[in-house]
């Protein structure tokens, strides 16, 4: 009888524990507010993979994703603390903000070099290559101090040419000005304007790969608000691990390419080579590279008033959320 009673009590205890476990609220996921600094380009897709494929959730993360209106506005959202993380911000903007005391730190690299940029002309143009821009012909870029401005000047230096640098705004403005005959060359970023290539309306004269001085140098970054990072170090590490998994999945899944095309209403034919246009080896989150050169570039372009010290450069970079 005692044995039966003991078994009964044990069964009741197990049942009670099971009911309590079911009734207890699930462990809350850690919330992370992320702003994506750009739309359309391939590198903007990886956080979507994390959300839609459950990768963030697997790492106990609840990630919200919004789009900023360009790098400066996106970075400002992180500096002020209204967002925790910025994805894909221009590195010179981050260096400049840091030099002024802004609470921002770099966690990873989005792209090294600028292979995803390209310059083009109308199909009937006599210009065949960058070298034909020598002697004052227009070499377009977006805005002063932008990545395209930097890339255009590095290309000109590498090829020893002297074009006329003209600001034309974003890819849309560049396309309009080129096709209307206002400028002799335009710029774009893969996969934008690939439809014009496919339709035989434009011809590429060169890509950012010609900017030899920027090869291997981190150009766009993942950055965090320092106050958030100091309070959420372990969350930041899990976030970067999840982003790394997301990026790798995007690069190895036709499903993700299809989702990318559908999201931005792009023709699949124009984006199916996205992994070749922006190779994984330049898009991995590590290494975060070339900061001695970037320090000099930032100073030369008046992004900083004086060169950052080695200690400051070290303090700026928290690879994958880890302390320097």
């Amino acid at each position: 009888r005692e044995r039966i009673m003991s078994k009964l009590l044990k069964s009741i205890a197990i049942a009670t524990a099971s009911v309590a476990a079911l009734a207890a609220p699930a462990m809350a996921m850690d919330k992370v507010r992320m702003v994506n600094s750009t739309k359309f380009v391939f590198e903007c897709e990886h956080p979507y993979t994390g959300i839609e494929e459950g990768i963030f959730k697997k790492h106990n993360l609840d990630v919200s994703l919004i789009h900023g209106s360009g790098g400066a506005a996106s970075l400002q959202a992180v500096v002020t603390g209204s967002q925790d993380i910025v994805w894909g911000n221009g590195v010179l903007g981050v260096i400049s903000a840091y030099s002024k005391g802004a609470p921002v730190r770099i966690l990873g690299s989005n792209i090294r070099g600028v292979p995803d940029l390209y310059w083009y002309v109308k199909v009937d143009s006599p210009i065949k290559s960058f070298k034909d821009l020598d002697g004052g012909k227009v070499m377009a870029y977006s805005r002063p101090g932008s990545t395209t401005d930097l890339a255009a000047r590095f290309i000109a230096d590498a090829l020893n040419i002297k074009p006329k640098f003209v600001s034309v705004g974003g890819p849309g403005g560049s396309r309009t000005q080129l096709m209307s005959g206002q400028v002799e060359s335009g710029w774009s970023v893969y996969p934008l304007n690939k439809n014009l290539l496919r339709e035989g309306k434009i011809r590429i004269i060169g890509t950012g790969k010609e900017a030899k001085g920027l090869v291997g140098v981190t150009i766009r970054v993942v950055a965090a608000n320092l106050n958030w990072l100091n309070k959420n170090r372990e969350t930041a590490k899990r976030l970067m691990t999840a982003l790394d998994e997301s990026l790798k999945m995007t690069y190895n899944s036709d499903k993700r390419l299809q989702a990318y095309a559908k999201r931005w209403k792009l023709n699949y034919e124009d984006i199916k080579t996205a992994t070749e246009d922006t190779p994984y080896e330049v898009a991995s989150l590590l290494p975060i590279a070339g900061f001695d050169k970037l320090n000099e570039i930032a100073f030369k372009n008046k992004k900083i008033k004086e060169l950052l010290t080695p200690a400051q450069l070290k303090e700026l970079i928290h690879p994958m959320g880890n302390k320097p």
Side-chain angles (χ1 to χ4, degrees):
R1 185 176 176 182
E2 288 180 1
R3 186 178 298 174
I4 293 172
M5 198 67 172
S6 176
K7 285 183 178 180
L8 180 61
L9 289 173
K10 187 175 181 181
S11 298
I12 292 171
I14 292 171
T16 302
S18 299
V19 170
L22 289 171
M27 185 179 293
M29 292 191 290
D30 295 311
K31 294 184 180 296
V32 181
R33 301 167 300 172
M34 182 183 293
V35 54
N36 200 330
S37 69
T38 188
K39 298 179 181 180
F40 304 111
V41 298
F42 186 50
E43 72 183 60
C44 81
E45 187 63 17
H46 313 317
Y48 279 110
T49 296
I51 292 171
E52 294 171 2
E53 298 295 338
I55 296 172
F56 291 137
K57 186 176 181 180
K58 183 182 78 171
H59 289 274
N60 199 40
L61 298 168
D62 177 10
V63 177
S64 63
L65 182 63
I66 64 171
H67 276 92
S69 54
S74 301
L75 179 59
Q76 187 63 19
V78 168
V79 167
T80 59
S82 64
Q83 296 292 309
D84 306 315
I85 299 284
V86 60
W87 175 270
N89 210 96
V91 67
L92 294 184
V94 177
I95 290 173
S96 176
Y98 168 81
S99 74
K100 297 170 185 173
V104 62
R105 297 294 185 269
I106 292 170
L107 308 185
S109 177
N110 274 126
I111 193 166
R112 289 173 294 280
V114 286
D116 55 340
L117 295 179
Y118 68 91
W119 280 256
Y120 62 94
V121 295
K122 286 195 282 189
V123 72
D124 58 354
S125 170
I127 297 170
K128 305 297 182 186
S129 70
F130 282 137
K131 290 189 176 181
D132 292 328
L133 300 179
D134 193 23
K137 291 186 177 64
V138 169
M139 186 169 193
Y141 68 94
S142 58
R143 295 173 184 85
S146 65
T147 299
T148 54
D149 183 8
L150 182 66
R153 296 176 194 280
F154 265 80
I155 289 168
D157 287 345
L159 298 176
N160 194 29
I161 59 174
K162 297 187 183 303
K164 179 182 179 182
F165 299 107
V166 175
S167 172
V168 296
S174 178
R175 179 184 63 245
T176 298
Q177 292 180 59
L178 176 84
M179 300 308 283
S180 63
Q182 297 175 61
V183 293
E184 293 154 303
S185 73
W187 78 273
S188 192
V189 57
Y190 294 122
L192 300 184
N193 293 326
K194 258 197 166 185
N195 61 306
L196 299 180
L197 284 168
R198 184 165 38 82
E199 294 163 6
K201 295 178 180 178
I202 63 173
R203 177 167 37 79
I204 291 177
I205 60 170
T207 73
K209 292 177 182 178
E210 295 290 343
K212 301 299 183 186
L214 297 178
V215 173
V217 175
T218 290
I219 298 298
R220 292 191 290 276
V221 296
V222 187
N225 177 282
L226 177 62
N227 301 319
W228 175 85
L229 179 61
N230 285 336
K231 294 175 184 176
N232 299 278
R233 180 72 64 176
E234 292 307 313
T235 299
K237 291 179 184 178
R238 277 186 283 119
L239 175 70
M240 295 305 290
T241 297
L243 284 168
D244 184 52
E245 290 180 22
S246 302
L247 187 153
K248 287 172 180 172
M249 179 178 284
T250 311
Y251 268 84
N252 291 282
S253 168
D254 186 66
K255 174 188 174 185
R256 295 314 310 169
L257 290 182
Q258 295 280 2
Y260 170 45
K262 183 177 180 180
R263 186 181 328 285
W264 303 114
K265 297 179 173 59
L266 300 169
N267 189 311
Y268 180 73
E269 290 301 308
D270 297 334
I271 64 91
K272 67 181 182 181
T273 59
T275 58
E276 299 168 25
D277 297 333
T278 309
Y280 175 78
E281 55 264 28
V282 304
S284 57
L285 295 172
L286 294 176
I288 306 167
F291 271 72
D292 288 337
K293 178 174 287 188
L294 288 167
N295 196 14
E296 295 172 2
I297 292 171
F299 181 65
K300 182 179 178 181
N301 287 274
K302 299 181 180 179
K303 295 289 186 180
I304 53 178
K305 292 182 178 179
E306 57 186 18
L307 290 171
L308 299 181
T309 66
Q312 286 176 310
L313 289 175
K314 181 179 180 182
E315 180 187 60
L316 174 60
I317 300 172
H318 293 231
M320 300 299 283
N322 294 289
K323 292 182 179 181

